[in-house]
């Protein structure tokens, strides 16, 4: 089980340690530092590092390494999942998860960690339960606590923890009863030089914000549930009903939660909403290169593509670029060689383009690698897979809730090779 | 106001200041002080000096303060054991608190204080908490048992906490169940011998129920626990699989992977013909693909596991190649793993796509990744033969880029391609030679030198090229030096005239100027070879090399099977069994996949070390000797081709059953020996005596006997049990000599040599007549056939079953044991024909008890044909009579140890059922075999009553003058012990 946790910042300082069993010396992190040194970038530090007596499992988020020390054979996914959950919890508690924030709230952090894990076994990881045990710090509460001498540690056993629906607390009350669902789809795609799709898949999620009084029992049905053949559910969803009727039936947690995530990989179902025309050429003889890209809409079902952002890691040999965009702003960082172009909305009548030349280091041969173009965009009111919610019904409570559904498509890892 | 203020007091008297604050009367001040202490603790400062002061703050109603003090206690109690005792009272009191939160907190903290003295006080509160009415307290207490066990295992056992913990598995609350399982698993891991998690169908059912209700973490523990269970049959396995499958849709990837482990393991037991098997395979792919869209750390662990799964069951992901395509901003550790899996999934169907991708990767920035991509192209060429040409041209394109490390890597893999497809792509050598100068890595240089040496006859300036390397000989790495030495010797053997000087130069460099013993030895060997016998040198140095195959990078099958049991654990990430890295590896139990119970692969079951093909199905419980004898005689004369209908109906007694088998295959009409083998097993329950039956399976022609029946080879020693060595074989008898025909197959990844064989003492004194001769070492995936002559002069010991033979085989890796059953007919000697008079006299003298009777069904051979077939296996017909339209054959045979067996075979024309009657054995008094006295087998007195088709009445022996005593037979000398020997058979009388 999880023995200890070390939080390490980018400069390699251990700024928090927590032990759930006997204390493990900090020196164990030396193995981690070695690996960190070997890796070119922080992202590339391997997540599993064996040492003679322990094993170090780490995740890297918000520029902080969360390093768990384990001593016996445990499922590493369990540890990594748990670490991510820790980060999510911090974010939930403090708004952002940063070194400063953690140091500012070190006692709460410590209390929360103690509550999440006992002897290395997860104890309470649901954020609504945690928040009942240890109240998140707010300015108001800090002030009140100082005046009244009360604490931000709950002294009652959280009600939800042991019920059949551990994710929901009892006695929830709202004056406005509302349930919102966001269907968000991300397209991961690799497009090759000639513009044909090499891989494309959709990672979809339905995030919900449910503020309903009492113990509502919801059912959500889809127009085309057959799209969803690879799904992961929140524990509240009744799997049997999904299996037999393809209906999502559940008692929702209170507040924000992810109802399900799904994966559509069948190539014919994945429409590619944008295309990129590019002409990036280096010449052997001259120290000038040509650079030209144009972005345009493809299969958008009539919706506008917005929030378009193009980034590209240029080869090391590129010294500078002089480019003119037809719209938006662009930056080339000569140190990291990162070109980013904030395009904004795509107007189908007047396609945005970025043209110009590149200055190459004189006297060197042309770069071996071709830059890959990374694309970000958003399309409102569209789920690119075509998924549509049919209806949402509520049972178990008398009032009429306000219901809302929103669709959105985004680029995930959308890459165009040149 | 933030907590960072707690860090600010760095003045000299910090500890002193804190001490004063802790002892302050004001609650608020106290709390602030404790917070400061905790803050110091989190950054690793030693604040243990404040122990008594902090403990004093423990008695408080303020829960936050209490919790903070507890946090402090957990960290420092160990360093201040005596002080820690002070806290005990408060803990005990808190365990009685009306608030369950406080009760749980107390018992939880107490368990974390790793001080021996405290544990004694912990027992009573813990016992109470384990039975607490509040499930929150119970589940906390369950974990506490594990903590306590870690500190003092003996105490936990003495106090009976383990039993209480086991009871909690049946708790009404799923969270309590999950924690109890987690605690038990942890305890069991540190004490593998203790049979803590006694899994049986009932407890499994409880776990499966709890699985649906408990938290995601609990599900992981339960699934991991389930994976250790061994279902008793395929139906149970299937029902567990059905209940586990919904977990594949869980949002927590650890739950998904643990579920995959359970399914992968239990799937092993399901028959492949089952519809459900296919369904399950299909269900496994989507969750595995989904894991790849998670955070990179999770992807990495998932990919390491998928690597194993793909090797074990490639069919699951064979259509999912694209999800393994690399994104340019994947972390490097993910990229490398994806690449590995792409190669494993590469097949003719998708090779074009894969190659295009690999080529793309080869132009990326990250050097490690590019190298691996180039290497991958080479592996594709070796794996998918049809793609070799494209791979080579892709590699050539890459060489043209002149990127140094790409070129070097490409040359290394081209060398491998040459070794797989010799004499096919030499046209590229010219291109390779152009890059000679840019090679600076030893591996690439060595590869290039190898190529030049190997194809020296086609490279005009090979000598110049090699000479250029020779200049800096002593600066090269050993790898290059060795390669250069060999290459020049090759060159010399191919073009002796112009390279004599060169070879002398390299030999002297290697032998005289080098300190490296390997190099020197190789140099001397070449030198001597060349100077004594150049022809031999040519044969040795230019010998044909074995082709390399793609399997070289696969995990050894036995290890793979073990790792599959560890899916989702660290072992699966390291690709090493836990015994290789778990601290102290305190008797880690090796896990293995369950054997398949379905039809197709039963022969692999390790217990069965069958002799003839049929015997493979044989259960471990084997008949008393009486049966065995009966066995010998029970001729099953079924027509071999139609499949052997000696079904249960014909079986009047156990013995028949056991023996009946196999004989039918002997009777095979025109078919020849081998064909009927596989058809047989189905027909008989437990065909021990199969061997005899097999005798009949001679080629149809009467009189054209070509020796006795040889059963098809069967696997005696599966590779799984012998570190990759698989042994299959059979026994045969040819013109008076017995031999054991073996096939040794090397399924491991290393070469095997130094084979030897030994038999344990056995019933008939079988022993190898010559040592096991395996001339050349056995290379991976190679097999060799050996015929080992046997004699029967070894020492004798009665085995059970009688024809059991225990064999030990040794090779350079280890010694392996297996046992097998040999067919008795290999022991029938050629002079087994008894004098007619003698037969008569003996027949009468054999006591009733020695008699047995069987029927053989569906055998339509004539008496003459039967007679001649049997003769082929040294069963001789002494007399033939025709009584009431039935043919009666009287037969004798003699075993190597001098025991005689007499038999009567009755054949009714138009009735395919043969009846074999009294089957006694007789021993002529003193015989060569020393153990004869002890092993006298005598026919068991099994009487046939109411045979199914043969008819009860007719089974009475006909009144024959010379069998006036009712065809009873007796051994010539029968020791008392031998009677008891066969006693078991007597009890089987129906």
């Amino acid at each position: 089980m999880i023995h200890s946790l070390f939080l390490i910042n980018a400069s390699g300082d251990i700024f928090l340690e927590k032990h759930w069993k006997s204390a493990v010396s900090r020196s164990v992190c030396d193995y981690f530092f070695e690996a960190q040194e070997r890796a070119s970038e922080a992202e590339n530090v391997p997540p599993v590092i064996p040492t003679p007596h322990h094993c170090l499992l780490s995740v890297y988020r918000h520029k902080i390494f969360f390093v768990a020390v384990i001593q016996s054979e445990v499922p590493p996914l369990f540890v990594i999942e748990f670490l991510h959950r820790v980060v999510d919890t911090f974010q939930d508690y403090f708004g952002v998860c940063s070194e400063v924030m953690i140091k500012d709230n070190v006692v709460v952090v410590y209390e929360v960690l103690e509550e999440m894990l006992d002897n290395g076994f997860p104890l309470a990881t649901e954020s609504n339960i945690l928040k009942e045990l240890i109240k998140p710090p707010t300015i108001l509460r800090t002030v009140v606590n100082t005046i009244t001498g009360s604490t931000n540690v709950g002294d009652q056993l959280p009600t939800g923890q042991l019920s059949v629906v551990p994710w929901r607390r009892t006695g929830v009350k709202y004056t406005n009863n509302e349930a919102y669902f966001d269907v968000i789809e991300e397209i991961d795609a690799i497009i090759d030089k000639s513009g044909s799709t090499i891989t494309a898949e959709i990672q979809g999620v339905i995030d919900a914000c449910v503020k309903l009084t009492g113990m509502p029992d919801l059912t959500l049905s889809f127009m085309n549930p057959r799209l969803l053949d690879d799904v992961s559910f929140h524990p509240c969803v009744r799997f049997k009903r999904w299996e037999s009727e393809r209906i999502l039936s559940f008692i929702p947690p209170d507040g924000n939660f992810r109802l399900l995530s799904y994966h559509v990989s069948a190539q014919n179902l994945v429409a590619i909403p944008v295309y990129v025309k590019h002409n990036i050429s280096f010449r052997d003889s001259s120290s000038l290169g040509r650079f030209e890209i144009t972005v345009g809409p493809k299969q958008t079902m009539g919706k506008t593509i917005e929030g378009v952002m193009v980034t590209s890691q240029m080869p090391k040999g590129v010294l500078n670029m002089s480019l003119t965009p037809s719209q938006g702003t662009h930056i080339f960082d000569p140190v990291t060689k990162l070109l980013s172009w904030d395009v904004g909305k795509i107007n189908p009548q007047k396609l945005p383009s970025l043209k110009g030349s590149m200055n190459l280091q004189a006297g060197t041969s042309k770069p071996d690698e071709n830059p890959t173009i990374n694309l970000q965009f958003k399309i409102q009111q569209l789920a690119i897979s075509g998924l549509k919610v049919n209806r949402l019904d509520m049972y178990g409570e008398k009032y009429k809730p306000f219901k809302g559904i929103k669709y959105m498509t985004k680029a995930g890892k959308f890459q165009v090779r040149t | 106001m933030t907590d960072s203020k707690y860090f600010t007091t760095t003045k000299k008297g910090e500890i002193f200041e804190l001490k004063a604050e802790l002892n302050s009367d004001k609650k608020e001040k106290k709390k602030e002080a404790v917070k400061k202490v905790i803050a110091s603790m989190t950054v690793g400062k030693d604040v243990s000096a404040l122990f008594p002061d902090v403990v004093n703050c423990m008695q408080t109603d303020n829960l936050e303060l209490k919790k903070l003090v507890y946090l402090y206690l957990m960290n420092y109690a160990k360093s201040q054991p005596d002080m820690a005792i002070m806290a005990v009272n408060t803990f005990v009191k808190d365990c009685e608190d009306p608030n369950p939160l406080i009760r749980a907190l107390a018992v939880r903290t107490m368990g974390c204080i790793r001080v021996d003295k405290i544990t004694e006080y912990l027992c009573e509160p813990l016992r109470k908490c384990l039975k607490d009415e509040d499930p929150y307290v119970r589940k906390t207490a369950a974990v506490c048992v594990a903590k306590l066990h870690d500190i003092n295992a003996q105490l936990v056992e003495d106090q009976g906490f383990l039993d209480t913990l086991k009871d909690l598995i049946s708790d009404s609350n799923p969270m309590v169940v999950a924690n109890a399982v987690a605690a038990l698993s942890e305890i069991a891991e540190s004490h593998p011998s203790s049979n803590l998690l006694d899994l049986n169908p009932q407890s499994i059912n409880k776990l499966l129920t709890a699985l649906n209700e408990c938290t995601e973490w609990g599900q992981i523990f339960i699934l991991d626990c389930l994976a250790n269970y061994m279902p008793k049959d395929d139906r149970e396995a299937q029902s567990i699989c059905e209940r586990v499958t919904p977990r594949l849709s869980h949002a927590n990837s650890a739950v998904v992977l643990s579920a995959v482990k359970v399914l992968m393991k239990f799937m092993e037991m399901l028959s492949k013909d089952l519809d459900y098997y296919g369904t399950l395979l299909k269900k496994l792919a989507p969750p595995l693909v989904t894991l790849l869209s998670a955070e990179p750390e999770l992807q990495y662990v998932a990919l390491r596991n998928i690597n194993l799964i793909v090797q074990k069951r490639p069919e699951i992901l064979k259509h999912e190649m694209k999800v393994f395509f690399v994104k340019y901003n994947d972390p490097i550790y993910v990229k490398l793993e994806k690449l590995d899996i792409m190669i494993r999934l590469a097949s003719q169907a998708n090779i074009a796509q894969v190659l295009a991708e690999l080529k793309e990767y080869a132009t990326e920035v990250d050097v490690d990744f590019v190298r691996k991509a180039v290497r991958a192209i080479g592996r594709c060429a070796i794996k998918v033969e049809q793609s070799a040409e494209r791979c080579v041209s892709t590699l050539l394109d890459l060489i043209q880029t002149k990127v140094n490390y790409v070129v070097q890597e490409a040359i290394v893999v081209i060398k491998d391609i040459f070794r797989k497809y010799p004499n096919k792509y030499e046209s590229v050598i010219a291109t390779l030679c152009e890059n000679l100068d840019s090679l600076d890595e030893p591996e690439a240089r060595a590869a290039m030198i190898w190529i030049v040496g190997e194809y020296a006859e086609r490279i005009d300036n090979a000598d110049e090229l090699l000479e250029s390397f020779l200049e800096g000989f002593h600066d090269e790495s050993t790898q290059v030096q060795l390669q250069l030495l060999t290459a020049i010797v090759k060159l010399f053997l191919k073009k002796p005239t112009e390279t004599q000087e060169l070879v002398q130069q390299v030999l002297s460099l290697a032998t005289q100027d080098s300190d490296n013993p390997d190099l020197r030895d190789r140099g001397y060997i070449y030198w001597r070879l060349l100077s004594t016998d150049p022809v031999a040198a040519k044969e040795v140095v230019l010998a044909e090399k074995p082709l390399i195959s793609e399997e070289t990078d696969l995990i050894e099958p036995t290890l793979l099977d073990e790792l599959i049991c560890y899916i989702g654990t660290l072992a699966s990430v390291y690709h090493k069994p836990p015994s290789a890295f778990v601290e102290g590896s305190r008797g880690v139990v090796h896990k293995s996949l369950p054997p398949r119970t379905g039809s197709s692969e039963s022969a692999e079951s390790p217990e069965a070390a069958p002799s003839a093909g049929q015997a493979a199905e044989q259960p471990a419980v084997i008949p008393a000797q009486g049966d065995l004898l009966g066995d010998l005689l029970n001729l099953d004369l079924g027509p071999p081709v139609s499949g052997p209908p000696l079904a249960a109906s014909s079986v009047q007694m156990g013995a028949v059953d056991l023996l009946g088998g196999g004989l039918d295959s002997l009777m095979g009409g025109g078919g020849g020996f081998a064909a009927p083998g596989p058809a047989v097993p189905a027909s008989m329950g437990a065909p021990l005596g199969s061997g005899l039956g097999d005798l009949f399976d001679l080629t149809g022609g009467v009189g054209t006997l070509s020796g006795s029946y040889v059963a098809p080879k069967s696997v005696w020693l599966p590779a799984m049990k012998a570190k990759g060595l698989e042994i299959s074989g059979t026994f045969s008898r040819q013109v008076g000599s017995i031999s054991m025909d073996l096939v040794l197959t090397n399924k491991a990844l290393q070469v095997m040599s130094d084979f030897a064989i030994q038999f344990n003492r056995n019933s008939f004194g079988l022993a190898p007549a010559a040592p096991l001769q395996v001339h050349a070492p056995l290379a991976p995936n190679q097999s060799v056939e050996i015929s080992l002559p046997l004699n029967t002069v070894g020492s004798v010991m009665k085995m059970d079953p009688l024809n059991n033979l225990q064999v030990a085989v040794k090779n350079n890796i280890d010694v392996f044991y297996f046992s097998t059953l040999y067919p008795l007919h290999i022991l029938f000697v050629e002079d087994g024909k008894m004098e007619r008079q003698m037969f008569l006299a003996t027949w009468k003298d054999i006591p009733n008890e020695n008699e047995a009777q069987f029927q053989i069904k569906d055998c339509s051979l004539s008496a003459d044909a039967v007679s001649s077939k049997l003769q082929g296996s040294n069963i001789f017909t002494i007399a033939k009579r025709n009584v009431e339209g039935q043919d009666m054959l009287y037969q004798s045979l003699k075993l190597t140890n001098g025991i005689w067996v007499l038999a009567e075979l009755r054949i009714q024309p138009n009735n395919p059922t043969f009846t074999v009657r009294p089957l006694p054995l007789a021993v002529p008094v003193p015989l060569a075999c020393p153990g004869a006295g002890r092993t006298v087998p005598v026919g068991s007195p099994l009487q046939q009553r109411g045979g199914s088709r043969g008819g009860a009445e007719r089974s009475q022996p006909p009144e024959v003058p010379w069998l006036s005593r009712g065809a009873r037979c007796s051994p010539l000398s029968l020791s008392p012990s031998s009677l008891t020997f066969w006693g078991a058979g007597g009890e089987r009388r129906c």
Side-chain angles (χ1 to χ4, degrees), chain B residues 104 202 239 283 308 368 406 448 545 704 753 758 768 858 905:
Chain B
Q202 287 78 38
S239 84
K283 281 195 177 164
L308 295 175
D368 282 346
V406 175
M448 191 65 223
K545 279 159 282 294
T704 60
S753 58
Q758 224 170 13
D858 293 328
L905 179 67

Side-chain angles (χ1 to χ4, degrees), chain B residues 113 173 215 515 575 962:
Chain B
I113 297 179
N173 187 300
T215 65
D515 297 333
H575 289 184
W962 54 280

Side-chain angles (χ1 to χ4, degrees), chain B residues 251-439:
Chain B
N252 186 319
S253 59
V255 175
V256 174
L257 203 55
S258 289
V260 169
K261 162 164 62 187
V262 174
L263 296 176
M264 281 294 285
K265 196 172 167 193
F266 289 3
M267 217 156 118
E268 206 56 24
M269 294 185 71
L270 300 178
S271 157
K272 284 189 168 145
D273 320 324
L274 224 56
D275 285 347
Y276 183 69
Y277 181 84
T279 323
L280 202 53
L281 273 185
K282 269 190 216 119
K283 281 195 177 164
L284 277 172
L288 289 174
V289 170
T290 305
L291 289 180
L292 296 181
S293 47
E295 285 84 357
E297 298 91 0
L298 299 170
Q299 279 187 46
Y300 171 74
V301 176
L303 284 166
R304 292 294 283 176
N305 280 286
I306 289 173
N307 199 329
L308 295 175
I309 294 169
V310 163
Q311 288 185 54
K312 180 74 189 166
R313 296 192 183 284
E315 63 270 33
I316 294 180
L317 288 168
K318 66 177 175 210
H319 299 304
E320 305 289 349
M321 171 61 93
K322 286 188 171 178
V323 300
F324 299 104
F325 284 180
V326 171
K327 309 211 166 81
Y328 87 97
N329 46 2
D330 281 335
I332 180 75
Y333 54 81
V334 169
K335 284 182 176 173
L336 295 177
E337 289 305 316
K338 280 186 173 173
L339 207 50
D340 226 14
I341 295 171
M342 280 173 67
I343 300 161
R344 300 216 191 287
L345 287 177
S347 66
Q348 208 186 333
N350 55 24
I351 193 74
Q353 249 183 344
V354 173
L355 271 182
E357 279 296 300
L358 290 176
K359 201 176 169 189
E360 193 70 43
Y361 304 159
T363 61
E364 283 220 19
V365 191
D366 191 298
V367 178
D368 282 346
F369 179 59
V370 171
R371 283 173 180 272
K372 194 154 183 182
V374 176
R375 225 160 250 239
I377 297 174
R379 274 164 70 185
C380 283
I382 290 164
K383 185 169 180 192
V384 186
E385 192 165 351
Q386 294 82 351
S387 76
E389 190 133 14
R390 295 171 73 161
C391 295
V392 171
S393 71
T394 309
L395 286 171
L396 282 180
D397 287 352
L398 290 172
I399 289 178
Q400 300 303 350
T401 63
K402 304 273 179 200
V403 178
N404 189 279
Y405 52 84
V406 175
V407 173
Q408 309 215 30
E409 210 62 40
I411 286 179
V412 172
V413 297
I414 286 179
K415 179 204 73 182
D416 287 343
I417 295 176
F418 281 163
R419 290 208 53 189
K420 168 83 179 178
Y421 310 106
N423 303 321
K424 230 175 148 183
Y425 299 109
E426 302 80 75
S427 50
V428 309
I429 293 176
T431 323
L432 301 185
C433 290
E434 286 166 20
N435 294 288
L436 215 56
D437 300 332
S438 63
L439 306 181

Side-chain angles (χ1 to χ4, degrees), chain A residues 201-320:
Chain A
E201 53 190 27
I202 297 171
Q203 313 289 350
V205 294
I206 300 184
D207 282 340
C209 175
V210 177
K211 295 183 173 170
L212 297 174
T213 307
M215 272 286 169
D217 196 333
L218 304 179
T219 61
L220 186 76
S221 63
F222 298 98
M223 308 276 268
N224 39 8
R226 249 193 267 156
L227 273 173
L228 305 176
D229 63 340
D230 180 6
V231 273
S232 310
F233 298 115
H234 188 276
C236 69
V237 177
R238 296 181 182 102
F239 189 73
K240 287 227 172 77
R241 276 208 72 189
W242 171 256
E243 281 276 88
S244 55
E245 302 167 52
R246 297 274 144 178
I247 283 176
L248 293 179
S249 154
F250 56 98
I251 296 173
D254 186 38
N256 294 311
F257 66 101
R258 176 156 295 174
L259 180 61
L260 88 162
S261 53
Y262 58 94
H263 183 90
V264 180
S265 57
Q267 199 96 147
N268 47 351
L269 291 173
V270 183
I272 303 291
V274 286
Y275 69 89
V276 178
K277 266 205 283 192
H278 51 81
N279 180 8
I280 302 173
S281 57
F282 306 103
R283 261 160 298 168
D284 258 334
S285 48
S286 106
S287 62
L288 274 186
R290 266 178 12 119
F291 184 98
E292 180 177 349
I293 46 178
T294 310
V295 190
K298 216 169 162 187
Q299 298 159 279
T300 59
M301 331 282 168
K303 305 273 196 271
T304 328
I305 304 175
E306 38 189 69
V308 181
M309 176 93 170
V310 177
T311 49
S312 180
Q313 180 73 51
M314 302 309 289
K316 286 203 179 64
V318 178
L319 287 180
N320 217 334

Side-chain angles (χ1 to χ4, degrees), chain A residues 26 73 81 104 114 230, chain B residues 3 43 99 108 253 290 570:
Chain A
R26 282 174 171 237
E73 173 66 282
E81 277 275 357
D104 281 354
E114 182 62 26
D230 180 6
Chain B
D3 293 352
V43 289
N99 184 344
R108 187 171 129 200
S253 59
T290 305
L570 279 178

